[in-house]
Amino acid sequence: MIRDSNLEELVSKFQEKDRLALARIITIVENEPERGKEIFDALYKNTGKAYIVGITGSPGSGKSTLISRLAQEMRSRGKTVGIISIDPSSPFSGGAFLGDRVRMREIVSDPEIFIRSVASRGMSGGLSKATYDIATVFDAYGKDYIIIETVGAGQAEVDVIKIADTIVCVFMPGAGDSIQAQKAGIIEIGDILVVNKADLNGDKLALQLEMALDSYTRQTGWRPPVLTTIAIDGVGIKELLEAIEEHRKHIELAGLLEERRRDHIERKIKEIVESLIQEHVYKQLNEDKGIEKLVEKVYSREENLYSAADKLLKPIIKKFVG
Ligand SMILES: Nc1nc2c(ncn2[C@@H]2O[C@H](COP(=O)(O)OP(=O)(O)OP(=O)(O)O)[C@@H](O)[C@H]2O)c(=O)[nH]1
Ligand SMILES: [Mg+2]
């Protein structure tokens, strides 16, 4: 099926669980859409098995620390993990992934935990596509869990986290407790709410979150639990994984997991079609020499903007469909 013999070799190495092949394939799907397509032709049928956990929350709330602990907990149960960290600030975020360098070394040295960061700066449109593609590769590789970290600010990031099966929202005690609790948007998407840094007294915030949940009814029959953790000490991590598993069971039994995943697939197909059309249109517009004539016609009021746009669009669509 794969025409490129180098690619074929790479895919077979990937299927033998070669970590370097995994890294290379991720780089290809990120940067070379044509070859990426061939890779998905070969690998997509093996996906849909991984469970995706999204972790979101304000900067510095302890998401990365929590994820490193959670990944260790998953590993201690014999599961493999792929982590996608969406870093809003730096395109070179490899080293910035975990607040605590010692722990980072611990995690990175485990061959069954694979971390990839994606810089979100300047790629609002493609961010969710890139994340979904990397998650798909992890899934095909056979990762049991995929964890996605995002700061959850802005629509692009919220879109990203929506590909998760279970969404965990992380809060921290301190200034603005009630403001955090009132962030209706966050409470709406969270399946599990975590008050991290409980060593700094998280009781008040946990209570406020519970109260915010009281005033909010869900159709899904699931009330998000509010957990407290001390990620730096590994306190509450086991309970977090248990809550994730419980949520998973709930949505599986209720048929909601299937529904969620079908929705994601529909949204992704539409997004891809949209971006293909956009790409084609941009390309044609840039190549089209007719625009100058149209500008003149509009300038002299022979045409108006809309009729000119129509004239430009028709041949582009014809070319696209044909
Ligand atoms: N006191 C306390 N500090 C914590 C806890 N968990 C994490 N931290 C510290 O909080 C700081 C931020 O932790 P990170 O894990 O990098 O937080 P983050 O949410 O991933 O941060 P960004 O990715 O930059 O948004 C680090 O200095 C951590 O050591 C905790 O439970 N208690
Ligand atoms: Mg982080």
Side-chain angles (χ1 to χ4, degrees):
M1 196 190 309
I2 294 182
R3 278 166 288 147
D4 180 335
S5 63
N6 289 336
L7 211 55
E8 195 173 1
E9 200 187 317
L10 189 61
V11 167
S12 72
K13 276 193 182 142
F14 175 91
Q15 282 160 337
E16 290 157 16
K17 306 266 189 221
D18 181 306
R19 268 171 71 86
L20 201 61
L22 168 59
R24 289 223 174 103
I25 282 189
I26 290 176
T27 306
I28 291 174
V29 303
E30 277 184 306
N31 303 311
E32 300 174 60
E34 281 309 314
R35 294 174 84 205
K37 243 193 268 175
E38 286 195 55
I39 287 174
F40 287 129
D41 281 344
L43 298 180
Y44 202 78
K45 57 181 176 303
N46 301 323
T47 63
K49 297 176 189 122
Y51 197 76
I52 308 181
V53 178
I55 310 253
T56 183
S58 44
S61 53
K63 300 176 296 297
S64 298
T65 315
L66 203 64
I67 288 171
S68 69
R69 291 290 188 166
L70 187 62
Q72 279 175 318
E73 183 64 31
M74 289 164 170
R75 291 289 303 125
S76 77
R77 298 182 189 195
K79 305 291 186 192
T80 58
V81 186
I83 300 171
I84 306 171
S85 166
I86 295 153
D87 190 324
S89 53
S90 159
F92 311 103
S93 53
F97 176 62
L98 296 174
D100 186 314
R101 294 298 155 94
V102 179
R103 213 158 287 131
M104 175 165 148
R105 241 177 279 131
E106 217 172 283
I107 288 289
V108 174
S109 64
D110 183 335
E112 297 300 342
I113 298 177
F114 195 99
I115 303 172
R116 187 73 173 207
S117 351
V118 183
S120 72
R121 187 196 273 165
M123 64 176 301
S124 58
L127 185 60
S128 91
K129 181 189 169 309
T131 309
Y132 196 79
D133 287 348
I134 297 172
T136 303
V137 174
F138 276 152
D139 190 350
Y141 189 76
K143 293 293 184 194
D144 297 306
Y145 288 103
I146 297 167
I147 308 177
I148 302 173
E149 172 183 351
T150 108
V151 168
Q155 193 54 47
E157 292 233 322
V158 172
D159 284 349
V160 168
I161 210 72
K162 279 190 185 152
I163 72 167
D165 300 315
T166 296
I167 298 175
V168 178
C169 295
V170 184
F171 301 82
M172 64 174 161
D177 278 4
S178 59
I179 298 168
Q180 287 189 66
Q182 283 160 14
K183 267 196 186 165
I186 288 280
I187 292 201
E188 237 166 79
I189 62 166
D191 300 306
I192 296 166
L193 308 185
V194 169
V195 174
N196 187 42
K197 306 198 184 182
D199 52 319
L200 305 178
N201 190 10
D203 291 353
K204 187 172 148 216
L205 177 57
L207 187 67
Q208 276 167 335
L209 288 171
E210 289 285 4
M211 275 161 32
L213 287 170
D214 283 342
S215 61
Y216 177 73
T217 48
R218 297 192 171 221
Q219 314 299 321
T220 58
W222 172 263
R223 179 178 164 113
V226 178
L227 308 179
T228 51
T229 57
I230 306 173
I232 35 166
D233 298 334
V235 174
I237 304 302
K238 205 164 154 261
E239 290 76 5
L240 173 57
L241 184 51
E242 270 153 24
I244 291 168
E245 282 305 317
E246 218 165 283
H247 179 249
R248 176 185 194 159
K249 227 181 282 157
H250 174 84
I251 59 175
E252 273 172 0
L253 281 176
L256 294 168
L257 180 62
E258 274 181 38
E259 206 178 287
R260 247 188 214 215
R261 289 187 169 182
R262 284 209 170 85
D263 284 349
H264 296 157
I265 290 174
E266 184 179 329
R267 225 177 25 235
K268 286 296 150 203
I269 297 174
K270 284 180 182 165
E271 266 176 40
I272 292 169
V273 170
E274 236 177 76
S275 73
L276 287 175
I277 291 177
Q278 216 174 53
E279 230 170 79
H280 172 79
V281 169
Y282 279 149
K283 203 169 145 234
Q284 293 300 316
L285 280 180
N286 287 332
E287 282 173 8
D288 198 320
K289 302 285 179 280
I291 186 130
E292 279 138 37
K293 260 188 224 147
L294 278 168
V295 170
E296 279 318 307
K297 283 190 174 164
V298 175
Y299 186 76
S300 63
R301 269 51 184 176
E302 216 177 297
E303 298 269 357
N304 65 55
L305 293 172
Y306 295 94
S307 62
D310 260 351
K311 287 218 163 94
L312 209 53
L313 185 61
K314 268 181 197 143
I316 290 178
I317 291 176
K318 240 187 218 155
K319 212 166 172 182
F320 190 61
V321 178

